[in-house]
Amino acid sequence: MSPIRGRSAWEAFQAGADPTGVSEQVLTSWRRSRWSGVDPAGIEVPVVDVDTDSDFVRLASPVLLRAADLLTGGPACLALADPRGSVLWRWVSERSIGQALDEARMQEGASFGEERVGTNGIGTALECRTLAEVVGADHYVEAFHGWACVAAPVTHPITRRVMGAVNVTCFVPDANHFLRAMTSSLADGVASRLTESATAHERAMLDAFVLGQRRSTAPVLVVSERMMIADDVAGAWGLDHRAVWELARAADPGTDLVLKSGLRGRVHPLGEVAGVLLTLHPDAQTPAPSRSDVPGLSPLEAAEAEVIAGVLGECGGNKSAVAARLGISRATLYQKLRRYRIGLPGAAPFD
C-alpha cells in the first residue's frame, strides 16, 4: 500500500471521466456514493444514539486493546462500529490524533454508513462484507483525504450476521502494508471471541444448519425462537425472523409454508434442538417469473429477481431503500441487479 495516494483518479471521477489507477473496490464504492447523492465537496457526519456497553463492545474491545501497544509509536486510532457503521468505541494512541478525529466527527455515535458519507473504511467494509482499504483520495468526500482507514467486517460465526466492523485509522503519511494484516487479524480475533461466547443452543443450531446444507441442494435456513441462520440465497430474501418462526413452529413436518410471495419453505423439525430447518423452493402458486431474457437463472433465482424488481419499483428506484427492505447490503443488491439485469428507465448504469 503506497503511503501517499494522489488525487488524479478522484478528480477524474468527479469530472465525469473514467478514472484509472484506482482499485475496483474503491471505484464501485464511488459509484454507489454518487448514486446515493453524497456531496463530495463536504458532508456533516450524522451522530446517532449507540449502545456503548453492548455484548459486541464488551467482547471485542479487549481484543483491540491487546493490539494497542503495536500502535503507540505514532498517531493511530482503533475503533469498533455497529452494522450501520456507527462508531461504538474508540481508542487513540495520542492526543493529537484524537483532537483531529474529533474535528472530523470520528467519535462515538458518528455514523459512517457509506450511503451517508460516501466511500470510507468502515462504511465500505460493511457494504462489501470484506476488508476495505481507503487511503487519502480514495475517500469520496474531499474532507477525509488526509486520512488512511482500513476496516474489516466482523461476522458472527454462528448466525453469520455482520455484527459490525473493526477499523484502524492514521494520517496518510503514516499508512503502510501492516495496517491490512493488523485489521484482518483483529477481525479474526473478535470472531474467535464470539465463538467462545456462543451458547450450547447456538452451537446446536449451527450444527443443524451445516448438516442441512450437506443433505440438500436447495437453499436452507434454520430458525428457533432465539435465532435464524440462513445461507446466502435464503438470506437475500430478507425474511423476518419472528414471522418465519411463528409460521414454522406450528407447522407439521413436511408442510410447505408460504414465506413470501414467490417463495415456499418445507418444514423439517430438528428433533433434539428446539428449532426447524426449512428448505426453500419457488412457490408453485405464483405465476411463472417473466425474466426469461436472462439466461442461466434457476427457478428460485428467477423468482428472487421478480421480488427485487417489484421492490425496486415500489421504492421508486431508491437502491438504498430496496437494500434495507430486503435486508441485504447495497453492494449485494448491485450484484443482483447486474446478475438479473434489473433496472428502471433513466436509472444509473450498474457497471
Side-chain angles (χ1 to χ4, degrees), residues 195-284:
T195 299
E196 293 167 4
S197 69
T199 66
H201 175 78
E202 289 172 333
R203 293 177 186 277
M205 290 284 285
L206 177 61
D207 290 343
F209 172 75
V210 172
L211 183 60
Q213 284 189 309
R214 291 174 181 167
R215 290 179 172 176
S216 175
T217 58
V220 301
L221 64 83
V222 293
V223 61
S224 70
E225 184 176 9
R226 293 166 50 189
M227 63 188 301
M228 183 167 73
I229 307 174
D231 64 16
D232 290 342
V233 175
W237 281 80
L239 298 171
D240 179 74
H241 169 210
R242 188 58 50 196
V244 171
W245 173 240
E246 290 302 321
L247 284 171
R249 65 186 298 210
D252 294 327
T255 300
D256 274 355
L257 303 175
V258 177
L259 302 176
K260 211 167 193 177
S261 177
L263 180 69
R264 285 177 177 261
R266 184 158 297 166
V267 175
H268 307 276
L270 296 181
E272 295 284 326
V273 183
V276 171
L277 182 140
L278 296 171
T279 52
L280 307 187
H281 57 91
D283 182 2

Side-chain angles (χ1 to χ4, degrees), residues 79 81-82 85-87 106 112 120-127 149 151 165-167:
D82 68 13
S86 301
V87 178
M106 173 62 172
F112 282 86
N120 71 91
I122 291 173
T124 302
L126 290 170
E127 284 291 348
C149 305
V166 299
N167 180 73

Side-chain angles (χ1 to χ4, degrees), residues 2 8 17 31 33 83 103 115-116 122 158 165 168 170 180 185 199 202 205 217 253 341:
S2 174
S8 58
R31 289 169 174 155
S33 301
E103 293 175 5
E115 75 279 4
R116 300 292 297 275
I122 291 173
I158 306 297
V168 183
C170 63
R180 289 183 62 93
S185 177
T199 66
E202 289 172 333
M205 290 284 285
T217 58
R341 300 181 186 175

Side-chain angles (χ1 to χ4, degrees), residues 30-54:
W30 284 353
R31 289 169 174 155
R32 291 195 300 266
S33 301
R34 175 178 285 170
W35 293 333
S36 296
V38 178
D39 183 358
I43 49 86
E44 182 172 340
V45 178
V47 178
V48 299
D49 292 331
V50 293
D51 183 1
T52 59
D53 191 37
S54 65

